[in-house]
Amino acid sequence: MRREQQKKDRRRVLAIWGAAAVVIAIIVGAVTFAVLHSNANKPDLSAVKSFEYASGAHTQAPVKYKENPPVGGEHNPVWLNCGVYDTPVPNENAVHSLEHGAVWITYKPDLPKADVDKLKDLTPDTYAVLSPYEGLPAPVVVSAWGKQLLLTGADDPRLEPFIKEYRQGPQTPEPGALCTGGTDGTDANATPQVPMDGTASPSATPSTPASPSATPSPSAS
């Protein structure tokens, strides 16, 4: 009877361990599936272009930038106030905001109003600038210091991941520096926007190759 009871006990233990193994396998499988599914649906940022620029190069003269819009290089000593603008902003002041960790969302001036409204909804309250921009190579272009991505429009799923990755990102030369208390692009601290010629100050040389007064909307900070 003792031996028979021992056999029953062993069978019970084996059954418990077998059931536990099945549960663990199900959990591991579910987690693996969720991770793979998440990665499969994660927007691809491989098209982000990278550029190398030294920070801290200030000039009050207009700058002839190599990228369109610019992502770094010489810039005005006064940064552009982060916020939403309904007209183009001075490049040189906006680049200073990028140096402070802002992202700059630019769109073609003829972008439909519904798409512009979507961009306004997606623009963070701080450390972000939204403005129209003449001559863009894509309907929407999002930039950070040394980083840029051409987007198909306001619905491009890569916009939010770009903002999350590069707003105050590791490439920021001066993270946490002010993005308010600068210029709105219309005062004496804004770089005058004049046609570029050979006398314009050139942008610093990037590691990879690529203008207008501003009036902020009431939502500009």
Side-chain angles (χ1 to χ4, degrees), residues 105-123:
I105 306 168
T106 50
Y107 58 90
K108 288 186 174 181
D110 61 355
L111 195 70
K113 181 181 181 302
D115 290 344
V116 175
D117 289 341
K118 285 182 184 177
L119 293 177
K120 289 180 179 180
D121 289 340
L122 292 171
T123 301

Side-chain angles (χ1 to χ4, degrees), residues 96-179:
H96 197 153
S97 297
L98 298 184
E99 186 181 50
H100 289 187
V103 291
W104 186 11
I105 306 168
T106 50
Y107 58 90
K108 288 186 174 181
D110 61 355
L111 195 70
K113 181 181 181 302
D115 290 344
V116 175
D117 289 341
K118 285 182 184 177
L119 293 177
K120 289 180 179 180
D121 289 340
L122 292 171
T123 301
D125 293 334
T126 61
Y127 290 103
V129 173
L130 174 68
S131 69
Y133 197 100
E134 295 282 354
L136 283 182
V140 178
V141 178
V142 60
S143 308
W145 183 273
K147 302 289 181 179
Q148 190 167 86
L149 179 62
L150 277 58
L151 302 174
T152 58
D155 292 323
D156 195 312
R158 298 172 295 172
L159 175 56
E160 290 184 90
F162 182 98
I163 294 173
K164 183 177 181 181
E165 181 73 18
Y166 298 113
R167 176 171 164 261
Q168 289 285 296
Q171 84 293 340
T172 302
E174 299 177 11
L178 290 176
C179 209

Side-chain angles (χ1 to χ4, degrees), residues 39 47 55 64 69 81 145 156 172 193-194 214:
N39 289 338
S55 62
K64 187 175 182 180
N81 292 332
W145 183 273
D156 195 312
T172 302
Q193 300 301 286
V194 297

Side-chain angles (χ1 to χ4, degrees), residues 9-72:
D9 292 342
R10 282 196 297 271
R11 285 196 295 268
R12 186 180 301 109
V13 170
L14 290 174
I16 292 172
W17 279 107
V22 170
V23 171
I24 292 171
I26 292 173
I27 293 173
V28 171
V31 170
T32 301
F33 175 81
V35 170
L36 292 176
H37 183 71
S38 175
N39 289 338
N41 293 310
K42 186 177 181 180
D44 183 9
L45 293 180
S46 62
V48 172
K49 295 181 180 179
S50 297
F51 306 84
E52 290 293 334
Y53 283 106
S55 62
H58 291 170
T59 178
Q60 293 182 326
V63 179
K64 187 175 182 180
Y65 290 103
K66 295 185 177 182
E67 290 77 51
N68 186 38
V71 295

